[in-house]
Amino acid sequence: MKKIISNCLLLILLFMSNKGHAQQVNKSYDVVVYGATSGGVIAAYTTKKEGKSVLLIEPGKHVGGLTSGGLGYTDIGNKYAITGIARDFFRRIGQHYGKFEQWIFEPHVAEQTFLGYLNSAKVNVLFLHRLVSVKKKDGFIKEITIENSDKPGKSSYEIIKATIFIDCSYEGDLMAKAGVSYFTGREANNMFNETYNGVQLRDRHQFPDGIDPYKIPGDPQSGLLWGISPAALDIQGTGDKKIQTYNFRICLTNNPSDRIAITKPDDYDASHYELLLRYIEKKPAKDLGSFLKVDLLPNHKTDINNNGPFSTDMIGMNYAYPDGNYATRDKIQQAHESYTKGLLYFIGHDERMPLHLRELMLQWGYPKDEYMDNGNFSPQMYVREARRMKGEYVMTQANCQSQKVVSDGIGMAAYTMDSHNCQRIVVNGMVKNEGNVEEGGFGPYPISYRSIVPKANECRNLLVPVCLSATHIAYGSIRMEPVFMVLSQSAAVAAVLAIDMKKTVQQVDIKKLQQILKTNPLADNSTPEILVDNDDAAHVVITGIWATIHQKCYGPSAFTAEGKNDSIKSVKFFPTISKAGKYKVYSYYPKLNNGTSKTSIVVFDGKTKKELVVKESDIQVEGQTAGEWVDLGTYSLPSGKKSFVEITNKHADGVVVADAILFVPENK
């Protein structure tokens, strides 16, 4: 009895001594993924499918980050760059809507799809927990301490251990707390021999000349209108700590049965939108599209993004976000949410707005079936850029433009080098925005594995596929949600290799990593689909003279030929079939203004030729993409290089395109 009492007293003393300190919860995993963004979900899913234990930690209550948080009108650049499970995600979205693949979707459909991945792999997800501290030893993260996001404090602390950690947060908090060096803001152009970094006063999303910045027009003593900074304009290309602006991608609906009226926020201040009035007075707006980028999603919904000089971007109000504590970030996000809701209310209700614009705005409202636990408004602010790691390799403008091409690529990007504005200032007595850059015209390019790993002397068991190592302007091209998914899958496979080989992340065999990503792209050991692109010289035979285009195509280029003339021109695509069986065959069609209304295609299955005529009306190109896959049917194909698909100019009455052919095994 005395022994029992003694043990009870000992337990009480231990509890009292630990009260208010980190609770030693013995939880250990092969891999811990921090941040259930789109990339975080794919990283955790891949890890589990590769046979390792994994914990996915999410500070909020949702998965999918911005992909499920309103960005349903996907920024792509070039579909060729999106591979593996990321591409499979858009195929699953397509299945939901009755298509082969789809890149435009409702927020809740995206979240359901992400949850489908996690549930199928039985991934352990810890919601409402955020990072407190990181413990390192000899360059390795040994453990992290997390707390309950809803009830923060030492009493809610948990300690989590892992062999490898993957930071998939938009903020790079795990990376930063692990002592890994990073960039914020914009580098000067001369730092990496760039031309689009640093201060950029340009003409896109810009106020026209003549818009007065002062509360009383012409009177500097009256003070600046809300949202205008008194800062002076620095020399073009100068580096600084300013952050490109954030916003919300807004999901609204005009379906009366699903619509909730847009009401006035509690902290509404109409003076915050004075510049919009001055802008449309200078440049009258025909419709809402003059200052809101309204892209349509299925079922009468929208993905609204910034458009023009005064829109949903809350310029210059996020500088403290990247390195801010949780309270600071919450305050910034709340300010952005209030600004956005106030803007929508202002457009629809302020009597100074033109009547036709008010009437158009009042047709829209918040959808009842989206974000039902967050007042029908997205919980995910668009953090376009926060911290960027200073890793083993820094991706720069030269990589985007293929002036430098890395050999250790573990994913591709293809989007325009894109930066939203960073500040709103006075230039020559007029209001101007500064920081917007949109420079493209290049094809898909590889992203270095070394850009997702820290320097070896800083941390040896951390991968950072979201806040990766890139300059501000290169990150502007890479920072697309599908690319984050691709890089996060690669990070997960690298983590598994590091564990199996007992290596640091810097010592991972890149060629083996690349091979796994190629031969097991879905991490489920299914037969990979086969892509034959027109640029694959060993698999393409050309008859006649074809021109080459580099825009609106799948991959680096596409072949084009004029309509039928005296000679038939053709391009034959020969797949190498490693496993005989049934394959669904697709042809990719870029949307051209002068394209033929009908294309002749021959499919040869090794025994029989089948001629098809694809009509232009059969090609349903989604609004934000340059082309679409068209189903050519299902065929039993022999192993080897015995079958082909031939595109010809026979029957053509316009430009014929030969771009890419896809062979999808039915057992996939």
Side-chain angles (χ1 to χ4, degrees), residues 66-73 97 105-109 248-254 258-260 262 293-305 312 340-341 344 361 364-371 375-380:
L66 195 65
T67 296
S68 61
L71 206 168
Y73 199 81
Y97 290 109
F105 46 82
E106 298 159 271
H108 76 272
V109 173
F248 282 89
R249 299 292 286 252
I250 310 165
C251 186
L252 300 180
T253 182
N254 61 359
D258 191 35
R259 184 178 62 199
I260 300 172
I262 295 169
K293 187 176 185 292
V294 184
D295 291 314
L296 299 180
L297 307 180
N299 296 316
H300 305 281
K301 293 176 185 173
T302 69
D303 170 358
I304 297 177
N305 195 12
T312 62
T340 305
K341 291 179 175 179
L344 299 176
M361 189 70 245
W364 297 95
Y366 303 119
K368 293 178 183 177
D369 60 347
E370 299 289 354
Y371 318 121
N376 307 101
F377 191 84
S378 176
Q380 180 62 64

Side-chain angles (χ1 to χ4, degrees), residues 145-146 246 312 431 461 472 491 630 650:
T145 300
I146 58 176
Y246 301 163
T312 62
V431 59
N461 64 333
H472 158 72
V630 174
K650 180 182 177 183

Side-chain angles (χ1 to χ4, degrees), residues 382-448:
Y382 195 171
V383 179
R384 290 189 173 95
E385 182 179 339
R387 300 179 175 112
R388 288 169 284 109
M389 180 171 63
K390 294 182 180 179
E392 292 260 306
Y393 184 88
V394 180
M395 297 290 293
T396 69
Q397 178 181 327
N399 295 109
C400 299
Q401 297 175 325
S402 296
Q403 295 167 5
K404 292 182 179 178
V405 180
V406 299
S407 60
D408 61 340
I410 40 81
M412 290 179 290
Y415 201 77
T416 295
M417 289 182 288
D418 179 88
S419 172
H420 282 235
N421 280 303
C422 299
Q423 59 180 333
R424 180 173 287 149
I425 55 177
V426 179
V427 179
N428 298 325
M430 301 176 289
V431 59
K432 293 291 179 183
N433 293 333
E434 183 278 312
N436 189 86
V437 178
E438 296 170 57
E439 291 291 336
F442 44 79
Y445 59 90
I447 300 167
S448 171

Side-chain angles (χ1 to χ4, degrees), residues 191-414:
M191 183 178 291
F192 290 98
N193 193 28
E194 296 176 306
T195 54
Y196 300 120
N197 213 332
V199 171
Q200 298 286 327
L201 184 66
R202 301 162 75 88
D203 57 359
R204 289 295 308 275
H205 301 290
Q206 185 60 274
F207 287 97
D209 288 349
I211 295 185
D212 195 291
Y214 302 109
K215 292 178 180 177
I216 300 175
D219 181 9
Q221 299 303 315
S222 65
L224 295 167
L225 289 175
W226 181 89
I228 302 176
S229 166
L233 176 65
D234 286 327
I235 297 171
Q236 193 90 341
T238 302
D240 58 26
K241 288 294 182 180
K242 296 180 175 66
I243 309 297
Q244 66 167 306
T245 185
Y246 301 163
N247 72 344
F248 282 89
R249 299 292 286 252
I250 310 165
C251 186
L252 300 180
T253 182
N254 61 359
N255 178 3
S257 65
D258 191 35
R259 184 178 62 199
I260 300 172
I262 295 169
T263 56
K264 181 168 62 176
D266 293 338
D267 55 355
Y268 177 74
D269 187 343
S271 69
H272 289 182
Y273 313 103
E274 179 71 28
L275 271 174
L276 178 58
L277 295 174
R278 294 190 185 183
Y279 170 61
I280 60 177
E281 181 181 5
K282 185 79 172 179
K283 191 174 181 180
K286 293 181 180 180
D287 53 37
L288 299 178
S290 298
F291 47 85
L292 297 175
K293 187 176 185 292
V294 184
D295 291 314
L296 299 180
L297 307 180
N299 296 316
H300 305 281
K301 293 176 185 173
T302 69
D303 170 358
I304 297 177
N305 195 12
N306 185 82
N307 189 42
F310 193 96
S311 186
T312 62
D313 278 359
M314 194 177 179
I315 299 172
M317 305 295 181
N318 60 346
Y319 299 161
Y321 188 89
D323 283 322
N325 59 25
Y326 295 126
T328 297
R329 290 180 183 168
D330 287 345
K331 185 177 179 180
I332 291 171
Q333 174 152 338
Q334 182 55 51
H336 279 70
E337 182 175 330
S338 294
Y339 167 81
T340 305
K341 291 179 175 179
L343 173 64
L344 299 176
Y345 179 82
F346 180 88
I347 296 168
H349 294 86
D350 195 290
E351 293 185 356
R352 294 171 294 173
M353 288 291 293
L355 178 61
H356 71 286
L357 296 178
R358 279 184 278 150
E359 290 176 341
L360 288 171
M361 189 70 245
L362 290 174
Q363 295 176 16
W364 297 95
Y366 303 119
K368 293 178 183 177
D369 60 347
E370 299 289 354
Y371 318 121
M372 290 182 286
D373 63 348
N374 198 58
N376 307 101
F377 191 84
S378 176
Q380 180 62 64
M381 183 169 65
Y382 195 171
V383 179
R384 290 189 173 95
E385 182 179 339
R387 300 179 175 112
R388 288 169 284 109
M389 180 171 63
K390 294 182 180 179
E392 292 260 306
Y393 184 88
V394 180
M395 297 290 293
T396 69
Q397 178 181 327
N399 295 109
C400 299
Q401 297 175 325
S402 296
Q403 295 167 5
K404 292 182 179 178
V405 180
V406 299
S407 60
D408 61 340
I410 40 81
M412 290 179 290

